């Protein structure tokens, strides 16, 4: 009996719900591009808020695609391009127009370094994701993820919005900070993946209360809360690093 012909994927119809993850990715791209435009106009707080929105959408689109069983190669590539724009290009460009535009060429070199590190980080992540190596530890990322790198590189802006009226660090310090965060993204440092974190059932209520408190703080004291989130993330990476190394040694 002859095999039945496979349906042409080009004529396959998708529901709007199945397209929702890609729609979120496109919205995130629009947010990143608009952030760059607002940065050129000097509306830095709104620009940063759009990058934060893009980070939230980035955390939603992949999970939504898996939940709806609508994952596709195009969606994965679109997500990578969105990550490069939103977390590799836009944050560095904002920092440049905010504080480094009047600096010498080292400011722009720092932006280029950060962007190149971001695209290399994303390329390495895509290779690992497509790899057949099932022994890869999903509890850890290799290097700082690009969304976290974007938040960390904007930390001087958060501090300024919270406690000052403009850039308060020397241009060279800001440029070196940007380069350091870029290098951390392509480093071999194991960073904790929150995707695999499990909360004991008996502690779930406390976790939900903590989330509610964090959201309330983010709405009331947005920039101070973001500063604390960044510092807490750095502390988490530092604390978890020796544990991860001990685990590798035991293996």
């Amino acid at each position: 009996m002859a095999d039945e012909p496979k349906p042409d994927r080009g004529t396959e119809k998708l529901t709007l719900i199945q397209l929702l993850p890609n729609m979120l990715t496109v919205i995130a791209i629009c947010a990143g591009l608009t952030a760059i435009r607002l940065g050129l106009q000097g509306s830095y707080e709104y620009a940063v808020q759009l990058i934060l929105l893009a980070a939230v959408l980035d955390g939603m689109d992949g999970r939504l695609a898996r939940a709806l069983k609508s994952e596709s190669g195009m969606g994965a590539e679109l997500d990578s391009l969105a990550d490069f724009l939103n977390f590799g290009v836009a944050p560095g460009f904002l920092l440049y127009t905010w504080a480094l535009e009047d600096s010498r060429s080292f400011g722009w070199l720092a932006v280029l370094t950060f962007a190149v590190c971001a695209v290399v980080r994303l390329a390495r992540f895509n290779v690992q994701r497509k790899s057949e190596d099932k022994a890869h530890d999903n509890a850890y990322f290799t290097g700082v993820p690009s969304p976290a790198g974007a938040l960390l590189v904007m930390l001087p802006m958060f501090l300024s919005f919270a406690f000052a009226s403009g850039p308060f660090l020397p241009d060279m310090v800001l440029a070196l900070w940007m380069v350091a965060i870029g290098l951390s993204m392509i480093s071999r440092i194991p960073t904790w993946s929150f995707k695999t974190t499990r909360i004991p059932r008996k502690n779930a209520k406390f976790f939900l209360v903590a989330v509610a408190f964090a959201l309330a703080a983010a709405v009331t004291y947005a920039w101070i809360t973001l500063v604390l989130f960044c510092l807490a993330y750095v502390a988490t990476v530092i604390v978890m690093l020796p544990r991860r190394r001990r685990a590798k040694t035991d293996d």
Side-chain angles (χ1 to χ4, degrees), residues 86-249:
N86 296 330
F87 311 130
V89 176
F93 188 81
L94 282 183
L95 205 64
Y96 179 79
T97 58
W98 178 66
L100 298 175
E101 197 168 12
D102 295 331
S103 65
R104 297 182 180 179
S105 300
F106 66 80
W108 186 244
L109 289 175
V111 175
L112 295 179
T113 301
F114 180 79
V116 170
C117 288
V119 76
V120 170
R121 167 74 178 82
L122 290 167
R124 185 177 67 185
F125 176 78
N126 288 341
V127 170
Q128 289 178 346
R129 182 177 58 188
K130 296 174 183 178
S131 174
E132 295 298 328
D133 182 12
K134 302 301 181 182
H136 179 67
D137 190 355
N138 293 322
Y140 292 88
F141 292 114
T142 302
V144 174
S146 53
L151 293 181
L152 290 176
V153 85
M154 293 189 298
L155 178 57
M157 300 182 75
F158 302 158
L159 288 167
S160 175
F161 298 157
F163 303 111
S165 58
F168 59 93
L169 293 175
D171 293 350
M172 181 60 73
V173 173
L174 291 174
L176 291 176
W177 172 255
M178 195 184 309
V179 171
I181 298 301
L183 294 177
S184 72
M185 290 194 292
I186 61 173
S187 69
R188 307 300 299 180
I189 298 174
T191 57
W192 186 23
S193 172
F194 297 95
K195 297 178 181 179
T196 58
T197 302
R198 295 182 179 274
I199 306 296
R201 186 178 297 274
K202 63 179 181 179
N203 295 331
K205 54 183 178 294
F206 301 111
F207 175 77
L208 294 176
V209 171
V211 169
F213 177 82
L215 289 176
V219 172
T220 308
Y221 305 103
W223 305 120
I224 296 177
T225 303
L226 286 170
V227 169
L228 294 177
F229 280 168
C230 289
L231 296 179
Y233 181 81
V234 173
T236 301
V237 172
I238 295 174
V239 170
M240 296 296 292
L241 182 59
R243 298 183 183 180
R244 176 60 177 158
R245 285 178 175 172
R246 285 198 299 268
K248 283 188 174 183
T249 303

Side-chain angles (χ1 to χ4, degrees), residues 67-78:
L68 298 174
K69 298 181 180 179
S70 60
E71 298 172 278
S72 65
M74 188 190 78
E77 296 302 325
L78 188 64

